[in-house]
Amino acid sequence: MTIGIVIVAAGRGERAGSPEDGPKQYRRIGGKPVIAHTLERFLSWSRSGLIVVVIHPDDEALFAAAAAELPSAAKVVTTFGGDTRQRSVYEGLRALSATEATHVMIHDAARPFVDHALLDRIAEALDQGQEGVLPAMPVTDTLKRGGPDHLVHETVPRAGLFAAQTPQSFSLPSIRTAHEKAAALRREDFTDDASIAEWAGLPVVLVEGSADNIKLTVKRDIAMADEKLSHHPLPDVRTGNGYDVHQLEPGDGVTLCGVFIAHDQRLVGHSDADVAMHALTDALLATCGAGDIGDHFPPSDMQWRGAPSKIFLDHAAKVVRERGGTIMNADISLIAEAPKIAPHRQKMRENLAEILGISLDRCSVKATTNEKIGFVGRREGIAAIATATVVYRGDAG
Ligand code: CTP
Ligand code: MG
């Protein structure tokens, strides 16, 4: 048995209002389009075969954008729907008939909370040879029939009444034949597939639905779904700072952020004395309480003599990553009377981006003079201040 999936998503969502926000199946809940949630539930279910998504011809770009948010859309194909849900399902069934699917689950894109336990219950009924399976919930409210006069005419006994859900599931040839028959007779008024099956004389068995498997119909449903999915843990964002100074002496140039700048002075230090990278190394280590550069690379250790400071920064980035951190940005302020930093800033940022493995826009290098005052102003040394922001996995709250 191969279970193909048809997800109908060609409706205009009129009852949801706000047409300027687009059809409801593409609105975002919990940070993702509704339809991406729905598809993920099927994509992660082990028994799903090919998934045919029936879309509106106007929604091609919307669908492509939503599909791009899926971990994988390899099993997903699309076809165009029609003016009614019935027509859209029919188009989906036609597309699926050309594949190896023997059975089909027909699901509303607007039901993003379908769960695997429900899909398993339905599949089990299909496994037992049922031709049609309808997930449904017993009606719990007392039912009244009212008239156009807004008066209650009667109370409808609710025993034996169920609210139908999707995915309604069938043997593929059986439901396709039923749909064809309805289309041929121009019966276009069916609002779900179980009613077409009933009309065509197909037996449909009830299985227990899921209370969460609601259809997003009105605006409030979408807002509530968003609220439900948007658990906001406190993100574990940490900031570290670092400060370093190196003395200047007569020489031929300085290395800052890995860029050698010809100059009539050089920085004194036992590595290449790149104050900027040293300050940033400390800032990164600070985000996970991992001490400072001196703890990791003792100045007494001769092997770091003349070493490029890239080694220290590389190491700090590795420590951060090993502890579950993702570097969000790095910012360095250089305080130097000379040489001029501006012409080298771009290259400096590129060096940082490469060493830290983050994008250029997350790396910043700035420089200022010290207005000729203090040790920096007297050109006795260069100082650097750095800040790093790192997000760690998990929840600080
Ligand atoms: N649907 C469809 N083609 C249609 C009408 C509906 O594929 N011509 C889909 C919808 O996209 C939805 C599902 O069928 O996923 C259930 O329909 P419904 O909730 O009624 O959605 P809409 O028809 O879009 O909304 P409304 O009735 O409020 O306009
Ligand atoms: Mg509708």
Side-chain angles (χ1 to χ4, degrees), residues 195-209:
S195 49
I196 297 179
E198 287 157 46
W199 169 81
L202 272 181
V204 177
V205 69
L206 283 164
V207 303
E208 188 194 344

Side-chain angles (χ1 to χ4, degrees), residues 14-131:
E14 270 159 31
R15 284 170 289 175
S18 311
E20 66 281 5
D21 294 339
K24 62 185 179 183
Q25 58 271 35
Y26 298 105
R27 292 192 197 165
R28 298 183 93 81
I29 55 171
K32 269 187 305 204
V34 168
I35 194 168
H37 290 277
T38 312
L39 279 167
E40 273 182 23
R41 301 276 170 121
F42 281 95
L43 284 166
S44 57
W45 185 53
S46 60
R47 297 194 62 181
S48 289
L50 186 75
I51 302 177
V52 176
V53 184
V54 185
I55 65 171
H56 192 282
D58 291 349
D59 296 345
E60 274 185 291
L62 281 172
F63 181 77
E69 296 189 39
L70 296 171
S72 156
K75 273 201 325 198
V76 180
V77 299
T78 59
T79 191
F80 290 141
D83 287 343
T84 61
R85 184 186 182 284
Q86 184 183 335
R87 185 76 212 175
S88 295
V89 171
Y90 183 50
E91 295 301 334
L93 294 176
R94 277 181 12 144
L96 203 59
S97 295
T99 74
E100 61 177 5
T102 56
H103 290 75
V104 59
M105 289 189 163
I106 304 167
H107 189 67
D108 294 331
R111 291 185 192 265
F113 297 117
V114 58
D115 60 80
H116 290 180
L118 173 61
L119 298 181
D120 288 339
R121 282 198 290 283
I122 296 169
E124 201 178 315
L126 293 175
D127 286 337
Q128 287 164 1
Q130 299 292 347
E131 257 187 293

Side-chain angles (χ1 to χ4, degrees), residues 164-188:
Q165 299 188 339
T166 74
Q168 300 180 3
S169 307
F170 306 89
S171 127
L172 179 56
S174 309
I175 193 66
R176 187 174 168 186
T177 307
H179 264 271
E180 269 163 4
K181 215 152 97 185
L185 294 173
R186 299 195 185 284
R187 283 289 311 265
E188 285 158 2

